[in-house]
Amino acid sequence: MSAQAMNDLSLAPTTRQRRPGAFRPTNVVVYGIALVVVAITLGPVIYGVLGGFRTNAQLARTPAGLPEPWVLDNYIGVLTNPTFWQYTWNSTGVSLITTAVVVVFGVMAAYPLARYEFKGREGLFMVFVIGLLFPATVAIVPLFILITQNLQLGNTWIGVALPQAAFALPMTVVILRPFLMALPKELEEAAMLDGTSRIGFFWRILIPLSGPGMVTVGVLAFVGSWNAYLLPLLLLQGDMKTLPLGVADFSSEHASDTAGVFAFTSLAMIPALIFFLAMQKRIVNGLQGAVKG
């Protein structure tokens, strides 16, 4: 064999190149784990939704079966119940107030932390980061005293929305700060040359450009407020209760009506689920902007 052939053999790759999309054993493991996670996550939801289309007799006879026949009485009964709509109205009001406070004050707090240079800026930002480690459960008793006795806001929407917004602000600032930092400084310099003040730049340029980040934190705040249970449980009573409390009350009052409880629970989670799915792409875009920053 010639020397050239020996050199060609020595330079040849010892392992076969894998083609794109080729079968790999690790893919099977990854997809298998993903399917298990999806089944564990969606299984109870699908079971509850289908359970609302069944009768209590069907559930007792075949708990894991499909509706046969499909029954609409449970969902119609919930939709024609005025108490359900009162709970929905309360949840909507509290969630909207919480979202508005979180977005407005969150972007106002993140703006100087992202665009201004001042002493102690990083230390102040760390205060918000540490706030992520502070659960609402720890402060539930002081909050109850503050809201009900000092502020006299017990059993009101604003009394629940304010503490919920306060505990959502750390996450909001942590997400928005890198997003705002990623905006080009040339935009601010050009605006300053045109005579725009910092406040003018904030309202006219920065707010429109930070739309994806604001939508992201707004959706997260809305869904978190919609699903909140502990604070509304302590601060709301009677007709002011939200949907999570309504689900608990309905389950207690109609413990023997399992199919009705399934229907009530399924309808209670639909608004937040639809809202989250509708804004899913905006959430991803906002988080990608934050990661890039």
Side-chain angles (χ1 to χ4, degrees):
M1 185 178 293
S2 64
Q4 181 65 31
M6 292 292 293
N7 291 335
D8 292 341
L9 288 176
S10 62
L11 294 175
T14 57
T15 58
R16 183 178 299 174
Q17 295 289 339
R18 291 187 180 272
R19 294 174 300 171
F23 174 79
R24 297 181 182 180
T26 54
N27 291 344
V28 178
V29 177
V30 172
Y31 287 127
I33 294 175
L35 289 175
V36 171
V37 173
V38 170
I40 294 174
T41 304
L42 297 182
V45 176
I46 296 175
Y47 182 81
V49 173
L50 293 178
F53 289 102
R54 307 179 69 191
T55 63
N56 291 318
Q58 292 179 20
L59 289 172
R61 185 172 59 253
T62 54
L66 293 174
E68 187 181 354
W70 292 69
V71 179
L72 299 177
D73 294 344
N74 299 314
Y75 286 101
I76 293 175
V78 174
L79 293 175
T80 56
N81 187 351
T83 305
F84 171 79
W85 293 109
Q86 181 64 42
Y87 292 149
T88 304
W89 174 248
N90 294 334
S91 290
T92 304
V94 172
S95 299
L96 289 178
I97 295 174
T98 302
T99 302
V101 174
V102 167
V103 173
V104 172
F105 287 93
V107 71
M108 292 174 66
Y111 174 59
L113 292 175
R115 312 294 298 190
Y116 289 9
E117 295 287 346
F118 58 91
K119 186 177 181 180
R121 185 182 71 165
E122 297 302 322
L124 183 59
F125 176 68
M126 285 303 300
V127 172
F128 289 98
V129 175
I130 295 174
L132 297 174
L133 308 177
F134 191 77
T137 311
V138 177
I140 199 66
V141 175
L143 277 176
F144 178 78
I145 297 174
L146 177 65
I147 297 297
T148 57
Q149 298 183 11
N150 296 350
L151 299 179
Q152 298 296 319
L153 293 176
N155 208 32
T156 61
W157 290 356
I158 193 71
V160 178
L162 287 180
Q164 285 183 351
F167 282 98
L169 275 176
M171 177 62 70
T172 302
V173 173
V174 169
I175 292 176
L176 285 180
R177 185 187 186 232
F179 190 92
L180 299 180
M181 292 178 67
L183 298 178
K185 293 185 178 180
E186 290 77 7
L187 289 176
E188 187 171 0
E189 294 173 355
M192 296 298 178
L193 291 176
D194 291 338
T196 304
S197 63
R198 286 186 178 270
I199 301 299
F201 171 77
F202 174 77
W203 288 109
R204 298 176 185 176
I205 300 177
L206 187 136
I207 291 295
L209 291 178
S210 59
M214 295 173 63
V215 170
T216 299
V217 297
V219 172
L220 295 177
F222 183 90
V223 175
S225 176
W226 186 276
N227 295 327
Y229 182 81
L230 185 57
L231 275 174
L233 176 65
L234 294 178
L235 299 175
L236 299 178
Q237 300 175 358
D239 293 338
M240 297 300 295
K241 290 183 177 181
T242 56
L243 263 179
L245 301 181
V247 171
D249 289 348
F250 188 88
S251 301
S252 301
E253 295 173 3
H254 303 81
S256 59
D257 185 11
T258 307
V261 172
F262 280 149
F264 196 101
T265 305
S266 300
L267 290 174
M269 67 182 177
I270 284 177
L273 181 61
I274 293 177
F275 184 70
F276 185 84
L277 293 177
M279 297 294 180
Q280 183 178 7
K281 290 184 178 179
R282 293 181 178 269
I283 293 175
V284 173
N285 292 336
L287 290 177
Q288 285 178 344
V291 171
K292 290 179 182 178

